[in-house]
């Protein structure tokens, strides 16, 4: 018998249960989580504490937490091979976040573009939790000394902040406790844009359903959304660099490429000279073929909430066991009695 090979490191990642899970979450995150779970020791968390930084109806939140867990599993995350749990069940996230609130600097948080984009002109009305959100995210990752974090491109700045917090903590307390975590961002699928506006990312919080492909959309809804997706009158070019000034066209080609696991150049070569009427038909077929097994599996899992709750409970116990020694080490370094 050969000994199991050593994991390449430890992964932590998560998604907010704040609305429907969509194609951006799948291509930017969930799919890659499933692909990485055998090479790394992996924790995949439903970040319900992050979700309440904006108002969530308590009844809806419970369903959304289960929906997120179902989406992870339907995308291939196996709760036996990974640790799948929800954040609020492991108290160490909140405890470490408080310590990081005292390490992180106001100037650093003031530079966070996601906060600025989210609050717009309503900064004074935003919750304090939304402002310090990135400190909690750093706590999520560093509570397990995670070495790698697979995410979409929109999380890059938050991961840079995580490294700044780790470095400052290590310097301030004179101990090398935290690693400098690396982001893992894929070439294709890391930034899926709105179907209606190629300058905005596909997002759970967009009020228009027509901007995103939800993982629980049925085939007719998918076809309708793709048919109505914004494009331009030009045919597809032979190479992807010619899509630079055509954000909506580039996005649809990017979705096709990511779902088929090929490059945008390969998609352009295949469809060169074709109009978007033809391309959208091919894209619909690919989206329906790839997503319908996930949609069906999500529905099946969501019909069994007791199973999902058991998975989350087991996961929380395993996560707590990993978090405890790290938290003890941090508390000692800080000088808590
Ligand atoms: P969230 O819930 O916004 O998104 C979950 C994951 O999906 C990715 N993603 C996208 N990827 C490509 N195109 C898109 N349009 C798109 N929209 C979302 C995100 O990059 C993310 O990987 N702050 C995080 C959650 C979080 C977290 C963490 C992540 C909390 N703690 C620790 C990693 C590590 C967030 O709001 O993701």
């Amino acid at each position: 018998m050969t000994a199991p090979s050593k994991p390449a490191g430890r992964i932590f990642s998560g998604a907010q249960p704040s609305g429907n899970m969509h194609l951006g979450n799948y291509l930017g995150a969930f799919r890659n989580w499933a692909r990485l779970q055998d090479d790394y020791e992996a924790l995949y968390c439903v970040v319900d504490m992050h979700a309440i930084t904006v108002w969530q109806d308590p009844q809806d939140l419970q369903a959304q937490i289960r929906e997120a867990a179902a989406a992870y599993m339907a995308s291939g995350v196996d709760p036996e091979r990974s640790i799948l749990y929800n954040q609020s069940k492991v108290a160490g996230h909140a405890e470490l976040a408080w310590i990081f609130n005292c390490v992180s600097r106001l100037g650093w948080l003031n530079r966070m573009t996601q906060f600025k984009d989210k609050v717009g002109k309503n900064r004074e009305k935003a919750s304090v939790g939304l402002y310090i959100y990135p400190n909690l995210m750093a706590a999520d990752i560093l509570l397990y000394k995670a070495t790698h974090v697979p995410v979409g491109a929109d999380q890059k700045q938050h991961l840079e902040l995580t490294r700044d917090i780790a470095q400052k903590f290590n310097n301030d307390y004179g101990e090398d406790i935290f690693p400098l975590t690396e982001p893992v961002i894929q070439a294709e699928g890391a930034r899926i844009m709105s179907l209606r506006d190629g300058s905005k990312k596909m997002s759970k919080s967009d009020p228009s359903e027509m901007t995103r492909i939800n993982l629980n959309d049925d085939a007719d809804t998918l076809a309708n959304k793709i048919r109505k997706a914004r494009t331009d009158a030009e045919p597809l070019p032979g190479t992807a660099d010619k899509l630079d000034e055509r954000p909506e066209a580039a996005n649809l080609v990017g979705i096709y490429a990511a779902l088929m696991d090929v490059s945008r150049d390969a998609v352009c070569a295949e469809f060169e000279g074709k109009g978007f009427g033809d391309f959208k038909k091919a894209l619909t077929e690919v989206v329906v073929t790839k997503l319908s097994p996930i949609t069906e599996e999500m529905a099946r899992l969501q019909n069994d909430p007791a199973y999902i709750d058991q998975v989350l409970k087991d996961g929380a116990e395993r996560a707590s066991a990993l978090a405890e020694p790290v938290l003890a080490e941090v508390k000692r370094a800080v000088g808590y009695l």
Side-chain angles (χ1 to χ4, degrees), residues 16 24-25 28 50 133 137 140 151-152 154-155 190 192 202 204:
Q16 294 191 68
N25 299 133
H50 278 108
Y133 176 120
M137 187 163 156
D140 297 339
V151 282
D154 62 340
Q155 297 301 317
I192 304 295
M202 186 178 285
K204 300 183 196 95

Side-chain angles (χ1 to χ4, degrees), residues 1-269:
M1 219 174 90
T2 53
S5 58
K6 207 168 161 291
R10 188 180 279 173
I11 278 180
F12 180 95
S13 201
Q16 294 191 68
S18 51
N20 283 129
M21 297 295 145
H22 55 73
L23 184 69
N25 299 133
Y26 175 69
L27 291 175
F30 308 159
R31 175 173 85 157
N32 307 317
W33 299 356
R35 290 178 176 178
L36 293 164
Q37 68 189 333
D38 291 325
D39 294 332
Y40 293 82
E41 188 180 7
L43 294 108
Y44 297 125
C45 184
V46 179
V47 293
D48 47 8
M49 293 163 62
H50 278 108
I52 64 162
T53 56
V54 297
W55 172 250
Q56 304 293 329
D57 181 272
Q59 288 299 323
D60 293 346
L61 184 59
Q62 293 194 342
Q64 287 162 199
I65 293 168
R66 293 192 183 106
E67 180 184 331
Y72 296 7
M73 288 190 272
S75 304
V77 170
D78 176 354
E80 304 275 322
R81 281 138 74 208
S82 298
I83 298 178
L84 200 173
Y85 72 107
N86 58 314
Q87 190 184 27
S88 61
K89 283 227 180 75
V90 179
H93 290 260
E95 288 189 73
L96 188 58
W98 179 257
I99 294 171
F100 286 172
N101 285 341
C102 304
V103 173
S104 183
R105 304 287 96 178
L106 283 178
W108 297 355
L109 291 179
N110 285 339
R111 286 196 285 276
M112 294 296 114
T113 55
Q114 224 170 63
F115 176 78
K116 290 189 223 172
D117 291 348
K118 252 195 166 153
V119 299
K121 292 195 182 73
N122 293 318
R123 189 186 160 98
E124 298 292 310
K125 295 251 167 67
S127 76
V128 176
L130 189 65
Y131 183 69
I132 58 173
Y133 176 120
N135 296 343
L136 175 58
M137 187 163 156
D140 297 339
I141 296 164
L142 296 173
L143 183 60
Y144 305 97
K145 298 191 180 181
T147 54
H148 294 83
V149 179
V151 282
D154 62 340
Q155 297 301 317
K156 204 161 173 257
Q157 194 186 32
H158 290 156
L159 294 181
E160 281 159 12
L161 184 86
T162 300
R163 290 164 68 96
D164 289 343
I165 290 175
Q167 200 150 33
K168 180 159 162 54
F169 183 98
N170 290 347
N171 280 341
D172 287 355
Y173 292 102
E175 286 190 57
D176 216 13
I177 291 185
F178 293 120
L180 296 184
T181 309
E182 296 285 342
V184 182
I185 299 172
Q186 302 300 320
E188 297 293 350
R191 197 165 166 75
I192 304 295
M193 309 310 283
S194 157
L195 297 181
R196 287 308 180 92
D197 178 351
S199 68
K200 281 186 8 199
K201 70 172 181 182
M202 186 178 285
S203 150
K204 300 183 196 95
S205 52
D206 196 303
S208 166
E209 280 288 323
M210 295 304 285
T211 60
R212 70 180 156 264
I213 289 176
N214 294 321
L215 295 185
N216 58 8
D217 282 341
D218 61 29
D220 286 345
T221 308
L222 292 176
N224 189 36
K225 285 180 177 176
I226 295 172
R227 196 166 47 243
K228 297 211 170 118
R230 192 163 147 192
T231 39
D232 53 44
E234 300 292 310
L236 272 95
T239 53
D241 55 348
K242 304 231 169 58
L243 290 169
D244 285 352
E245 305 297 316
R246 300 170 62 189
E248 286 85 12
N251 188 40
L252 295 185
V253 169
I255 291 173
Y256 190 101
L259 282 171
M260 293 301 285
D261 263 318
V262 296
S263 67
R264 287 176 195 225
D265 275 324
V267 179
C268 288

